Amino acid sequence: MIIHNQENHVTTFINISEFLKHHLQGEHSVALNTILSDVIEACKNITVVIDKGALTGNMGNLGSENIQGEVQKALDVITDDIFIKTCQQSGYVAGMASEELVDVIEIADNNRKNGQYLLLFDPLDGSSNVNVNISVGTIFSILKSSNKKPELSDFLQAGTEQICAGYALYGTSTMLVLTTGNGVNGFTLDVDSNEFLLTHPDMQIAKDTQEFAINMSNYRFWREPVQRYIDECLQGEEGDRKKDFNMRWVASMVAEIHRILIRGGVFMYPTDSKSRSGKLRLMYEANPMSFIVEQAGGASTTGTQRILEVKPSGIHQRVPVMMGSKNEIERIAAYHQAKSKRK
Ligand code: P6P
């Protein structure tokens, strides 16, 4: 328990480990408590590295490419190392998968004596924003493996199988937001105590919104249902929607989804004629964020299917992503359905 006293206004906050002791119930509670304490430690360590910014000389590119064919930043590799080293010794994590590594990571026998959980993560989402000082984040997802010595096939589970998902947002403050299937809760890192404190209990996404997030430069590549939805938003009060819309695009999914959790909105990275299956990765971006969004009362679709029900075919598989305020996402899905009927 931490007490903040400002101008004689005393607020008491519960820290994340106290919260998890009461919040985690059921068969996975001991394992999750242990795994999450390592994830929390990793995010605290990443915060330290991010906060130093250019002082550490880690702002540049490595000249290498990751499995995604994206130029790797020094911080991509540094944060990936932090996450792996911090989270591989709990005895519960039997395997890991990272955006930065081609293959799944096997965990040594003596490090998985307690159980077999799988930890999938994007260690630094939006890393191209780091050298321009815009918010970035870490996204993680936890699955149960049926195999003590997990292989790739053990990771390829639909998003509905996740037992935990969360993100760290390295923004104007560092926050950790997570769900274990019983609502969504947000914690702010108190730099004085180096503790994550519960500041956003039971986060809920507004069912309606007047704010959309999409990279408009791809407009000519989108399919008709997406162009129709965005056109109507841009027509504002004079158009069918009879209300004006606002647009945001941070180019950092964690920052966009966090904003949507706070004030509603839709986030869209649809398929386009450039990248047929979309840009965002299913296993460690779309699935964890969809779990969080749905647990907060929102919705998440590929346009034609609930993202959490997509059957994975590869650990780095990409999917089209549209998630956020439920009523808007249902409208977008209806436009896709209407288009498929007209074929
Ligand atoms: P674009 C970051 O690289 C990311 O994976 C997401 O975090 C973000 O929403 C998207 O890509 C940004 O893509 O094409 O606008 O650079």
Side-chain angles (χ1 to χ4, degrees), residues 68 70 218 220-223 269-281 318-321:
Q68 327 286 343
E70 293 164 345
N218 294 323
R220 65 189 185 284
F221 302 117
W222 297 334
R223 292 191 175 150
Y269 213 106
T271 183
D272 57 43
S273 48
K274 277 193 306 182
S275 55
R276 297 300 298 166
S277 49
K279 174 178 183 183
L280 301 180
R281 278 61 54 144
R318 297 171 192 261
V319 287
V321 173

Short mmCIF file of all heavy atoms in Angstrom, two decimals, residues 68 70 218 220-223 269-281 318-321:
data_model
loop_
_atom_site.label_atom_id
_atom_site.label_comp_id
_atom_site.label_asym_id
_atom_site.label_seq_id
_atom_site.Cartn_x
_atom_site.Cartn_y
_atom_site.Cartn_z
N GLN A 68 10.55 -10.24 -39.53
CA GLN A 68 9.47 -9.52 -40.23
C GLN A 68 10.01 -8.76 -41.44
O GLN A 68 9.26 -8.11 -42.13
CB GLN A 68 8.83 -8.50 -39.27
CG GLN A 68 8.81 -8.92 -37.83
CD GLN A 68 7.78 -9.99 -37.55
OE1 GLN A 68 6.86 -10.20 -38.35
NE2 GLN A 68 7.90 -10.68 -36.43
N GLU A 70 11.86 -6.25 -40.99
CA GLU A 70 11.93 -4.86 -40.52
C GLU A 70 13.34 -4.58 -39.98
O GLU A 70 13.94 -5.44 -39.33
CB GLU A 70 10.90 -4.64 -39.40
CG GLU A 70 9.45 -4.74 -39.89
CD GLU A 70 8.46 -4.91 -38.74
OE1 GLU A 70 8.90 -5.25 -37.61
OE2 GLU A 70 7.27 -4.72 -38.96
N ASN A 218 -2.43 4.94 -46.55
CA ASN A 218 -2.70 3.68 -47.26
C ASN A 218 -4.08 3.66 -47.91
O ASN A 218 -4.50 2.62 -48.44
CB ASN A 218 -2.59 2.50 -46.27
CG ASN A 218 -1.17 2.32 -45.76
OD1 ASN A 218 -0.22 2.50 -46.53
ND2 ASN A 218 -1.02 1.99 -44.48
N ARG A 220 -5.57 4.37 -50.65
CA ARG A 220 -5.82 3.83 -52.01
C ARG A 220 -5.64 2.32 -52.06
O ARG A 220 -6.07 1.67 -53.04
CB ARG A 220 -4.90 4.51 -53.02
CG ARG A 220 -3.40 4.24 -52.84
CD ARG A 220 -2.57 5.12 -53.75
NE ARG A 220 -1.14 4.84 -53.73
CZ ARG A 220 -0.32 5.23 -52.73
NH1 ARG A 220 -0.81 5.88 -51.65
NH2 ARG A 220 0.98 4.93 -52.78
N PHE A 221 -5.02 1.73 -51.03
CA PHE A 221 -4.79 0.28 -51.03
C PHE A 221 -5.90 -0.48 -50.29
O PHE A 221 -5.94 -1.69 -50.33
CB PHE A 221 -3.45 -0.05 -50.37
CG PHE A 221 -2.26 0.61 -51.02
CD1 PHE A 221 -1.48 1.52 -50.33
CD2 PHE A 221 -1.93 0.33 -52.35
CE1 PHE A 221 -0.39 2.15 -50.92
CE2 PHE A 221 -0.85 0.94 -52.96
CZ PHE A 221 -0.06 1.86 -52.25
N TRP A 222 -6.78 0.26 -49.56
CA TRP A 222 -7.77 -0.44 -48.75
C TRP A 222 -8.86 -1.08 -49.61
O TRP A 222 -9.15 -0.61 -50.74
CB TRP A 222 -8.45 0.52 -47.79
CG TRP A 222 -7.55 1.15 -46.78
CD1 TRP A 222 -6.36 0.66 -46.30
CD2 TRP A 222 -7.75 2.41 -46.14
NE1 TRP A 222 -5.81 1.53 -45.41
CE2 TRP A 222 -6.65 2.61 -45.28
CE3 TRP A 222 -8.75 3.38 -46.20
CZ2 TRP A 222 -6.53 3.76 -44.49
CZ3 TRP A 222 -8.64 4.51 -45.42
CH2 TRP A 222 -7.54 4.70 -44.56
N ARG A 223 -9.54 -2.05 -49.02
CA ARG A 223 -10.71 -2.62 -49.66
C ARG A 223 -11.92 -1.71 -49.41
O ARG A 223 -11.90 -0.87 -48.50
CB ARG A 223 -10.98 -4.02 -49.09
CG ARG A 223 -9.87 -4.98 -49.51
CD ARG A 223 -10.21 -6.41 -49.21
NE ARG A 223 -9.21 -7.32 -49.72
CZ ARG A 223 -8.95 -8.48 -49.12
NH1 ARG A 223 -9.61 -8.83 -48.04
NH2 ARG A 223 -8.02 -9.29 -49.59
N TYR A 269 -5.81 -1.42 -38.63
CA TYR A 269 -4.72 -1.69 -39.56
C TYR A 269 -5.22 -2.79 -40.49
O TYR A 269 -4.95 -3.96 -40.29
CB TYR A 269 -3.40 -2.07 -38.90
CG TYR A 269 -2.24 -1.55 -39.74
CD1 TYR A 269 -1.49 -0.47 -39.33
CD2 TYR A 269 -1.98 -2.09 -41.01
CE1 TYR A 269 -0.48 0.05 -40.14
CE2 TYR A 269 -0.99 -1.57 -41.82
CZ TYR A 269 -0.24 -0.50 -41.39
OH TYR A 269 0.74 0.03 -42.19
N PRO A 270 -6.03 -2.41 -41.47
CA PRO A 270 -6.72 -3.40 -42.31
C PRO A 270 -5.78 -4.04 -43.34
O PRO A 270 -4.66 -3.57 -43.53
CB PRO A 270 -7.78 -2.56 -43.03
CG PRO A 270 -7.19 -1.19 -43.11
CD PRO A 270 -6.35 -1.02 -41.86
N THR A 271 -6.27 -5.08 -43.95
CA THR A 271 -5.51 -5.64 -45.05
C THR A 271 -5.52 -4.61 -46.17
O THR A 271 -6.39 -3.74 -46.21
CB THR A 271 -6.13 -6.96 -45.54
OG1 THR A 271 -5.32 -7.51 -46.55
CG2 THR A 271 -7.54 -6.74 -46.11
N ASP A 272 -4.49 -4.63 -47.00
CA ASP A 272 -4.52 -3.72 -48.14
C ASP A 272 -3.80 -4.40 -49.30
O ASP A 272 -3.21 -5.45 -49.13
CB ASP A 272 -3.88 -2.37 -47.78
CG ASP A 272 -2.44 -2.53 -47.29
OD1 ASP A 272 -1.69 -3.33 -47.90
OD2 ASP A 272 -2.09 -1.90 -46.27
N SER A 273 -3.86 -3.79 -50.45
CA SER A 273 -3.31 -4.48 -51.62
C SER A 273 -1.78 -4.53 -51.55
O SER A 273 -1.14 -5.22 -52.32
CB SER A 273 -3.76 -3.78 -52.90
OG SER A 273 -3.56 -2.39 -52.77
N LYS A 274 -1.20 -3.79 -50.55
CA LYS A 274 0.28 -3.88 -50.38
C LYS A 274 0.61 -5.15 -49.58
O LYS A 274 1.42 -5.97 -49.99
CB LYS A 274 0.79 -2.67 -49.58
CG LYS A 274 1.02 -1.43 -50.38
CD LYS A 274 1.82 -0.40 -49.57
CE LYS A 274 1.22 -0.08 -48.23
NZ LYS A 274 1.96 0.93 -47.46
N SER A 275 -0.03 -5.26 -48.37
CA SER A 275 0.29 -6.43 -47.53
C SER A 275 -0.99 -7.21 -47.35
O SER A 275 -1.79 -6.94 -46.47
CB SER A 275 0.84 -5.99 -46.18
OG SER A 275 -0.10 -5.10 -45.56
N ARG A 276 -1.23 -8.19 -48.18
CA ARG A 276 -2.50 -8.89 -48.28
C ARG A 276 -3.09 -9.26 -46.93
O ARG A 276 -4.28 -9.15 -46.71
CB ARG A 276 -2.36 -10.16 -49.13
CG ARG A 276 -1.95 -9.92 -50.55
CD ARG A 276 -2.93 -9.07 -51.33
NE ARG A 276 -4.27 -9.66 -51.45
CZ ARG A 276 -5.32 -8.97 -51.85
NH1 ARG A 276 -5.25 -7.67 -52.09
NH2 ARG A 276 -6.50 -9.54 -52.00
N SER A 277 -2.20 -9.75 -45.98
CA SER A 277 -2.81 -10.26 -44.73
C SER A 277 -2.74 -9.21 -43.63
O SER A 277 -2.97 -9.52 -42.48
CB SER A 277 -2.08 -11.54 -44.32
OG SER A 277 -0.70 -11.29 -44.36
N GLY A 278 -2.37 -7.97 -43.96
CA GLY A 278 -2.29 -6.96 -42.91
C GLY A 278 -0.87 -6.86 -42.39
O GLY A 278 0.01 -7.63 -42.76
N LYS A 279 -0.62 -5.93 -41.51
CA LYS A 279 0.74 -5.68 -41.01
C LYS A 279 0.95 -6.29 -39.63
O LYS A 279 2.04 -6.78 -39.33
CB LYS A 279 1.02 -4.18 -40.96
CG LYS A 279 2.35 -3.88 -40.31
CD LYS A 279 2.71 -2.42 -40.27
CE LYS A 279 4.11 -2.24 -39.65
NZ LYS A 279 4.49 -0.83 -39.52
N LEU A 280 -0.04 -6.27 -38.79
CA LEU A 280 0.16 -6.63 -37.39
C LEU A 280 0.14 -8.14 -37.18
O LEU A 280 -0.55 -8.88 -37.88
CB LEU A 280 -0.88 -5.94 -36.52
CG LEU A 280 -0.85 -4.41 -36.62
CD1 LEU A 280 -1.90 -3.77 -35.73
CD2 LEU A 280 0.52 -3.86 -36.31
N ARG A 281 0.93 -8.58 -36.18
CA ARG A 281 1.11 -10.01 -35.96
C ARG A 281 0.04 -10.53 -34.99
O ARG A 281 -0.28 -9.91 -33.97
CB ARG A 281 2.50 -10.25 -35.34
CG ARG A 281 3.66 -10.30 -36.34
CD ARG A 281 3.94 -9.09 -37.17
NE ARG A 281 4.12 -7.87 -36.41
CZ ARG A 281 4.99 -6.91 -36.74
NH1 ARG A 281 5.77 -7.06 -37.79
NH2 ARG A 281 5.07 -5.81 -36.03
N ARG A 318 0.46 -12.68 -39.83
CA ARG A 318 -0.14 -11.35 -39.75
C ARG A 318 -1.65 -11.44 -39.98
O ARG A 318 -2.13 -12.36 -40.65
CB ARG A 318 0.48 -10.42 -40.79
CG ARG A 318 1.98 -10.18 -40.59
CD ARG A 318 2.56 -9.44 -41.77
NE ARG A 318 4.03 -9.43 -41.74
CZ ARG A 318 4.74 -8.39 -41.30
NH1 ARG A 318 4.14 -7.31 -40.84
NH2 ARG A 318 6.06 -8.43 -41.30
N VAL A 319 -2.38 -10.50 -39.40
CA VAL A 319 -3.83 -10.44 -39.63
C VAL A 319 -4.27 -8.97 -39.79
O VAL A 319 -3.63 -8.08 -39.24
CB VAL A 319 -4.63 -11.05 -38.45
CG1 VAL A 319 -4.53 -12.56 -38.42
CG2 VAL A 319 -4.22 -10.44 -37.12
N PRO A 320 -5.39 -8.77 -40.49
CA PRO A 320 -5.98 -7.42 -40.49
C PRO A 320 -6.56 -7.16 -39.10
O PRO A 320 -7.07 -8.09 -38.46
CB PRO A 320 -7.11 -7.53 -41.52
CG PRO A 320 -6.95 -8.84 -42.20
CD PRO A 320 -6.14 -9.72 -41.31
N VAL A 321 -6.45 -5.94 -38.62
CA VAL A 321 -6.88 -5.63 -37.25
C VAL A 321 -7.80 -4.41 -37.24
O VAL A 321 -7.46 -3.37 -37.80
CB VAL A 321 -5.66 -5.35 -36.34
CG1 VAL A 321 -6.11 -4.86 -34.95
CG2 VAL A 321 -4.79 -6.59 -36.20
#
